[in-house]
Amino acid sequence: MINRYAVILAAGQGTRMKSKLYKVLHPVCGKPMVQHVVDHLNELAIETVVTVVGHGAEMVKTQIGDKSDYVLQDKQLGTAHAVMQAKEILADKKGTTVVICGDTPLISPSTIDALITHHENMNSKGTILTARLENPTGYGRVVRSESGDVIRIVEHKDASESELMIQEINTGTYCFDNEALFDALSKVKNDNAQDEYYLPDVIGILKSAGEIISAYQTDDFLETLGVNDRVQLSQAEKVMKQRILEKHMRNGVSIVSPEQTYIEADVMIGQDTVIQPGSILRSGTIIGQECVIGPNTEISNCHIENETVIRHSTAYDSHIGSYVQIGPFAHIRPSSQISDQVKIGNFVEVKKSTLGRGSKASHLSYIGDAEIGEDVNIGCGTITVNYDGRNKHLTKVEDGAFIGCNSNLVAPVTIGKGAYVAAGSTITENVPGEALAIARSRQTNKEGYTARLTRDK
Ligand code: UD1
Ligand code: CA
C-alpha cells in the first residue's frame, strides 16, 4: 500500500468574487467550498491532509477544524509557492500526494480515487486530472506532443493562439510522487504573464527531466468547475443542488418538484418521506421516514423523527418527534423540543420551549421559554408573557392542564397538573394542580341599555 497525502490550496483572496468573504469560504449548497473538498478527501484513505491558508487563515481554520493540518502562505505568490509551504510537513515522506484547489467543490471522491489509482498504476511522477470543455476560457490548457504524450500545461494568459484552441484543460487537481513534487517545485520560476509561481509548471519540469507524466481525463466536465466568480458560484450551486436531490431520490425520498426544492449538503432524509414543492432544507437537518415536509417549508438544523407532517412552516435548531403535526404557518424557533404526537397549528410560535407528548397548541399562540407537559391543551390565542423588559422567565404547564382561550400566562408561573385556566384569564400567580383559575373581571349585563341610549337622545 502506497502512503497518500493531500494538499488543499486555499490561501487566495479570490479577487474575482468581489467579496468581503474569502473565496473558499463561499458556500455551495450551504457548505463552504473548501469544506466540500476536505470532506471529499476524508472519504478516501489519506494519511495527512494539509491545507494551505493565507487570506482569512483563521476563518478557514475555524471552518475546517481538526480535519486537516495547516501551513501558512504569507504572500500569495502562486499555486507552486502555495504547495511549497507544505514542505515542512510533507518533504521527506514517500508516497502519493494529491494536490487540489479549494475552489473546486464538485470533484467527487470517486474521481479523486480514480485519479490516484491511474497515477499509481502508471507509475507516474505526476498525473493531471483533465477534462474536455466546449469553452475552456480561463483554464490552463494541456499541451500534448504529436504522439499524444502530455508535455506541459500552459495558463490561459500565457497561451499562444494555437494553444488557446486546446480544449483539454487542467482541472487543478493532480497526483504527484511526493519527493518528485518537492524536488520539481524548487525549480519553478515566475517568468510568466502573472509573475506567479505556477504549480502546473511542475508537470513540464518533470517531463523535461524524463519522468513519466500522465493525464486522467474525466468525462464529467461538470465536476471540474473551478469557482472564480459569482457566475461560476451559481453554476456550481446548480450542479451540486441537482446531485443532492438525485442522491435523496435514489435513497427513497419523493421530491415532488425538484425544480422547486432546495436541499443543502449533509441533510439526511429517511425512506418514503415526501418533500413537497417550495421546501428548503438546510444543513444539519435530519428527517426520519414517512414524513411529509412542505409545501413551502424551511427547516434548518432540526432533527425530525418519523411520520411527522410540517406544512407551510419554518423550524430552526430544534428537535421534533414522531407523528407531530406542524402548520400551516407555524414558526418553530431555536432550542425547542417537541415530543411525539404534538400538534402545533396555524399561527403558533414556539421558542426555546418543550412540549410533552400529545400536547396541542392548535391556533394563534406564543409559547416562549415554556415547559409544557404531556397532553396539555393550549387554547387558541394563549400567550406566555415571558419577558418583563429585562429578563426572560419560565412558564411551566404540568401534564393534562387545560389553558382556556386567550389567556396570558405571566411568567414566572406554574400551572399545576390537571388544572384549568378559564378563557380570557391573565394568570400572574401559580395555579395548584386540579384547580380552576379564573383571572378576569366578572361580566355585568346592563339590562335595557339600548333603549336607554335612544331615550337620552
Ligand atoms: C488554476 C491553474 C489552472 C487550472 C485552474 C483550474 C495555476 C497557475 N493555474 O488556475 O491551470 O486550469 O486552476 O481551476 O495553478 N492559491 C493559493 N495561493 C496562491 C495562489 C492560489 O493558495 O498563491 C489557491 C487559491 O486560493 C485557489 C487555488 O489556489 O483555491 C487556485 O488558484 P486560482 O487563482 O483560482 O487559479 P486559477 O487561475 O483558477
Ligand atoms: Ca480557480
Side-chain angles (χ1 to χ4, degrees), residues 74-135:
D74 232 342
K75 283 202 184 103
Q76 282 64 52
L77 303 179
T79 44
H81 179 255
V83 177
M84 199 63 165
Q85 309 311 305
K87 195 174 173 182
E88 55 190 84
I89 298 183
L90 297 178
D92 301 326
K93 301 207 188 268
K94 286 195 193 326
T96 301
T97 299
V98 177
V99 178
I100 187 165
C101 296
D103 64 353
T104 50
L106 297 171
I107 293 180
S108 67
S110 58
T111 299
I112 302 170
D113 201 36
L115 171 72
I116 298 174
T117 308
H118 181 83
H119 171 81
E120 291 175 357
N121 288 346
M122 298 290 287
N123 222 352
S124 290
K125 294 289 184 206
T127 305
I128 322 157
L129 179 66
T130 72
R132 197 163 276 284
L133 300 193
E134 275 302 311
N135 175 9

Side-chain angles (χ1 to χ4, degrees), residues 59 93 125 144 204 210-211 238 242 274-275 283 298 307 327 335 353 357-358 366 393 404 438 451 453:
M59 282 175 79
K93 301 207 188 268
K125 294 289 184 206
R144 290 180 183 258
E211 303 289 3
K238 190 174 167 195
Q242 188 59 25
V274 178
I275 312 294
S283 290
E298 180 175 0
E307 299 194 42
S335 305
S353 295
R357 168 187 279 267
Y366 172 63
H393 300 282
I438 309 179
L453 276 185

Side-chain angles (χ1 to χ4, degrees), residues 124-126 180 205-213:
S124 290
K125 294 289 184 206
I205 291 169
L206 289 171
K207 182 72 188 174
S208 309
E211 303 289 3
I212 304 174
I213 293 302

Side-chain angles (χ1 to χ4, degrees), residues 20-175:
K20 278 187 197 144
L21 187 64
Y22 307 108
K23 175 165 78 174
V24 297
L25 291 177
H26 275 265
V28 173
C29 288
K31 178 150 99 177
M33 287 194 258
V34 68
Q35 188 69 55
H36 281 284
V37 175
V38 173
D39 290 351
H40 295 333
L41 290 172
N42 276 316
E43 283 186 35
L44 305 167
I46 288 175
E47 194 172 294
T48 310
V49 175
V50 182
T51 304
V52 183
V53 294
H55 281 283
E58 289 314 310
M59 282 175 79
V60 175
K61 283 182 179 173
T62 308
Q63 170 61 40
I64 300 172
D66 58 9
K67 285 184 171 174
S68 172
D69 290 347
Y70 301 94
V71 291
L72 184 71
Q73 186 194 22
D74 232 342
K75 283 202 184 103
Q76 282 64 52
L77 303 179
T79 44
H81 179 255
V83 177
M84 199 63 165
Q85 309 311 305
K87 195 174 173 182
E88 55 190 84
I89 298 183
L90 297 178
D92 301 326
K93 301 207 188 268
K94 286 195 193 326
T96 301
T97 299
V98 177
V99 178
I100 187 165
C101 296
D103 64 353
T104 50
L106 297 171
I107 293 180
S108 67
S110 58
T111 299
I112 302 170
D113 201 36
L115 171 72
I116 298 174
T117 308
H118 181 83
H119 171 81
E120 291 175 357
N121 288 346
M122 298 290 287
N123 222 352
S124 290
K125 294 289 184 206
T127 305
I128 322 157
L129 179 66
T130 72
R132 197 163 276 284
L133 300 193
E134 275 302 311
N135 175 9
T137 307
Y139 291 95
R141 311 296 209 282
V142 179
V143 181
R144 290 180 183 258
S145 68
E146 274 177 14
S147 55
D149 295 341
V150 176
I151 302 174
R152 61 188 176 92
I153 298 169
V154 61
E155 288 305 298
H156 182 101
K157 287 183 180 157
D158 299 291
S160 65
E161 285 212 0
S162 61
E163 286 166 340
L164 286 175
M165 305 295 281
I166 300 173
Q167 286 182 308
E168 189 184 11
I169 62 107
N170 167 26
T171 64
T173 305
Y174 323 75
C175 272

Side-chain angles (χ1 to χ4, degrees), residues 16 23 103 226-228:
R16 291 167 277 182
K23 175 165 78 174
D103 64 353
V227 175
N228 297 317

